[in-house]
Amino acid sequence: MYKIIEKRELAPGIKLIKVLAPEIAKKAKAGQFVILRVDKTGERIPLTLADWDQKEGTITLVFLEVGVSTKKLGRLNKDDVILNLLGPLGNPTEVKDYGSVCVVGGGVGIAAAYPIARALKEAGNKIVSIIGARSANLLIFEDEMKEYSDEIYISTDDGTKGYKGFVSDLLKDLLVKGYKFDMVYAVGPALMMRAVADVTRPYKIKTIVSLNPIMVDGMGMCGACRVIVGGKTRFTCVDGPEFDAHEVDFTELVRRQRAFIEEEKKALEIFERGELL
Ligand SMILES: Cc1cc2nc3c(=O)[nH]c(=O)nc-3n(C[C@H](O)[C@H](O)[C@H](O)COP(=O)(O)OP(=O)(O)OC[C@H]3O[C@@H](n4cnc5c(N)ncnc54)[C@H](O)[C@@H]3O)c2cc1C
Ligand code: FES
């Protein structure tokens, strides 16, 4: 059992929880994730470590409520408990002094990009961050990203804050203006990561994305998280979650993410009628 010691709503549908999990906090590194089960009828869901505190023995998770499990998690409050929490899982971000690094975060992916930006900044890189959301009220982790960025740029799809357009358009603008990056990291929805990969490909900038396929066991046994990278099948939970963006088959990733969309819709309807607890 893992106790929630803090809970906040960061934006409509986006929640932050701080959970007591000293064993995970002790080993956590940027780029890693946990798999949790809210209760005994709950599904296993992967969430990226948005932060951790070894002294306090806590980890911080930020999640968007999209379906039954994330909505169930969102209903928990301070002092409630999560049944199972497994982690840290996945390979940590390869942290080196690359030079100038652009970290791109989209939507809830900004919280997942934050520890990556922090680790790369602490390793001596110049960090230019680009963060974006659909609208100004959905923009999260702006202050956290500012703390570890030499420069920060903001975009919103509807133009309510910063540049009007997608984070990938903003990245393209910076490149056209002459910005030089030794590396680009992108975390967010699959279509956003694909758009970033398309922008950096002609510039031959090494680009790393953190993939988010459906996961079940998180241990390389079930095959649920398989993705195609460089023409080969890879398991995101043990081989990733970070991969070379220019090698990822995003069409296949999106197809597999949507594989259970009808079942998920039905489960959510049942849950919202209060029949699935
Ligand atoms: C490594 C990794 C890290 C992630 N980190 C975060 C994070 O920090 N914050 C966040 O908000 N989301 C994160 N996600 C996505 C999150 O796991 C899904 O939104 C969540 O599992 C949805 O479950 P649900 O029951 O609420 O929704 P459902 O209605 O079951 O599904 C909604 C959509 O979520 C995706 N999904 C469903 N089940 C899973 C599953 N078991 N594993 C992965 N995706 C699933 C599918 O694309 C699906 O169409 C991450 C995913 C991965 C793989
Ligand atoms: S989640 Fe089962 S193999 Fe990766």
Side-chain angles (χ1 to χ4, degrees), residues 35 214-226 235-238:
I35 289 196
I214 289 179
M215 286 190 179
V216 180
D217 69 344
M219 305 210 170
M221 313 275 273
C222 71
C225 68
R226 65 183 181 273
F235 288 171
T236 306
C237 63
V238 288

Side-chain angles (χ1 to χ4, degrees), residues 52-64:
W52 53 89
D53 184 328
Q54 289 189 359
K55 276 199 203 125
E56 202 181 46
T58 59
I59 59 166
T60 300
L61 305 172
V62 174
F63 58 96
L64 177 66

